Amino acid sequence: MDPIQLSQFQSHLLKSKKIIALVGAGLSVSSGLPIIHGTQSLYKNFNSIDLSTPDAFYIDPSLVWQYHSYKRYQCLNASPNNGHIALSKLSQLEELAYLTITQNSDGLISDRIGHDKGKLIEIHGSVFDLKCTSFLCNYVERGNYVHPLTSALKGSEVECVSGSRKRKSELENDVALSPQFTPVKSIPEKELPLFPVCGELLRPGVVWFGESLSLNLISKIDNFIEDSDPSIDLILVIGTSGTVYPANSFIERVKLKGGKIAIFNIDIDDDIVQGKEGGVWGFKGDAAALLPIALKPLIGNI
Ligand SMILES: [Zn+2]
């Protein structure tokens, strides 16, 4: 970190009365979660994007639940890092108007690490939330960390069998060297997660491709930015390029309101890193390592 940039940032930080942290997938990388949103990763030979739509769930809830169970398991086994903890500490400062907006649905920022629940917005939902599919019911359960959710979903976390047990003569055939995918089970609907009260199928409480973001959450963020008592001083843009909607619109609005921007990411324009863009600081590297250093004047040592 450039010491001049850091000291300018920290003196603004200490004067700030209202701060937003906007978090993307880059913050969870050092917790062991790959950036998979929007990429062509595979689950048992299915494209993950194809398994993350309302249509896919409607057509084959068994397949989508198995994929989701695999993702939940990965998130359950990931540990929050010092960047997540630094934001939790910001949320605990009573004199600071503060909001964490995360684009991650991995549940790594939560009240489990002391983040104030009322100051956290998960705009893409959470893999640990469940929603009833019945339009009449609207039941939502938050923060369910049970795994597997039903006994039929047991084993769904195993994506492939590594290490073939075939005899040597068979191994010479190169087909035997490729990973063996455990087959996708066909689970009857009554053995998938159901809401006992109405008896209908539950679905993952995440925002899938092709679905709208919650208008309630968006307007909560809008109000937080627009409300000028106190006015917004700073937005921390963490582990995300911030160029995609709605992240870009939040950053633009903070700028219009006179707030400053601090970016913590692996990839930042050189001009920003060198302090050539007014009102924007750029700290290039692993956000999980940089945040505790940058925020130390407010949160102390982690
Ligand atoms: Zn229901």
Side-chain angles (χ1 to χ4, degrees), residues 5 8 255 258-262 271-282:
Q5 296 288 311
Q8 282 179 3
K255 212 194 270 183
K260 300 202 166 165
I261 301 164
D271 281 357
I272 292 176
V273 175
Q274 291 158 15
K276 290 179 188 165
E277 195 162 319
V280 187
W281 295 283

Side-chain angles (χ1 to χ4, degrees), residues 154-166:
K154 196 168 183 237
S156 51
E157 65 277 10
V158 185
E159 189 189 11
C160 67
V161 180
S162 54
S164 170
R165 299 202 185 280
K166 291 194 175 187

Side-chain angles (χ1 to χ4, degrees), residues 131-139 194-202:
K131 290 200 296 194
C132 186
T133 53
S134 160
F135 290 110
L136 301 169
C137 172
N138 285 324
Y139 169 78
L194 304 175
F195 181 42
V197 174
C198 74
E200 295 295 322
L201 186 63
L202 290 168

